[in-house]
Amino acid sequence: MTQFDLIAFGRAFLVSLGAGLLGGAVGYFVMRDREDWNRKRPVLLMALGGCVLLLTVAISALWQYLVIVPSLDGLSQARAEETLVHLGLVPEARPQYAAGVEVGRVVPKSQAPHAGQDVRPGSAVLFAVAAGGTETTSSTEIDGGDLPTVSLFAPAAHATVRAARRPDGAGMVTARGTSKGMQGEAFQLLLWLRPVAPPSDVDGWYLQRPPSNGVAGVDPDGGWQGTAQIGNALWPPQEGAVIDLAVSVADRETASLLMAEAGVVVRPQPEGVATARATGVVLTFK
């Protein structure tokens, strides 16, 4: 839903008035004499007013109107995204575990900007989607409590995702997900990437390490975001490259040893007590 943007209309009017006054001043000074000006002044003033009106209407029509953010509470992710795209807004879904909310539905009161707020077309709207099935759990217990769990929400398995290129030619992929039980200093999330097609010289999972790659931290609600690198300046990734991504939960001692290891860290399998994966992810750089 859109609404009239009074500020945009006011700007359009001021622009149009300025253009009209400039045109009137030019017309005044190009007259052969003042008698011509006095005789033609009513016509010129009417033309000036018409130009201001037409320019105001034209500029305000081309000016972006405000969009009222709709309520997404309880909608499916697909329906929420469709609703936002239809209004010219950019949906940004984020997984979140929410008791009493069906998996795949938007968590009530989770969107930002909030419903009813006025925004410009093209604005991003963040919202949480109840997560479930992608979580990998473990039955092992530590100190009487369950191990942390983690999910990889995006990219999805076998999805085609847009990757970015760094100035040196390396490819960068953003991964998102959520977790439980990561509070405190006992555990750390590790992000891994395995080139599939074309394969790498050394087959295995490549650890993505901060500060430029990997998972920088976990939000209070368990959400996380990380960056994985594929290729480098000498061997930049190609259009249509296929990769596997994984995120694992590792204890701090294991994570510290991996982070301190010299050179590129490659393992046959991601190390950790719980792992979530997205296989067959296709990269596009267009």
Side-chain angles (χ1 to χ4, degrees), residues 190 192-193 205 245-248 267-273 275-277:
L190 303 178
W192 306 80
L193 182 146
W205 291 87
L245 283 172
V247 59
S248 65
R267 293 291 187 271
Q269 294 294 332
E271 294 192 8
V273 296
T275 305
R277 308 188 186 197

Side-chain angles (χ1 to χ4, degrees), residues 17-18 93 98 101 120 151 160 199 210 214 234 237 274 281-282 286:
L17 182 61
V101 181
R120 295 284 183 190
S151 71
T160 298
L234 296 178
V281 178
V282 180
K286 297 179 179 179

Side-chain angles (χ1 to χ4, degrees), residues 13-36:
F13 177 77
L14 291 177
V15 172
S16 302
L17 182 61
L21 291 175
L22 179 61
V26 172
Y28 175 79
F29 285 106
V30 299
M31 292 294 175
R32 287 183 302 230
D33 52 43
R34 297 305 172 92
E35 290 185 1
D36 279 349

Side-chain angles (χ1 to χ4, degrees), residues 198-209:
S200 59
D201 293 338
V202 179
D203 186 31
W205 291 87
Y206 289 71
L207 177 63
Q208 308 297 303
R209 291 187 280 188

Side-chain angles (χ1 to χ4, degrees), residues 158-178:
H158 307 292
T160 298
V161 299
R162 180 176 300 230
R165 282 196 189 276
R166 293 195 323 202
D168 63 3
M172 307 300 294
V173 184
T174 299
R176 297 184 180 88
T178 191

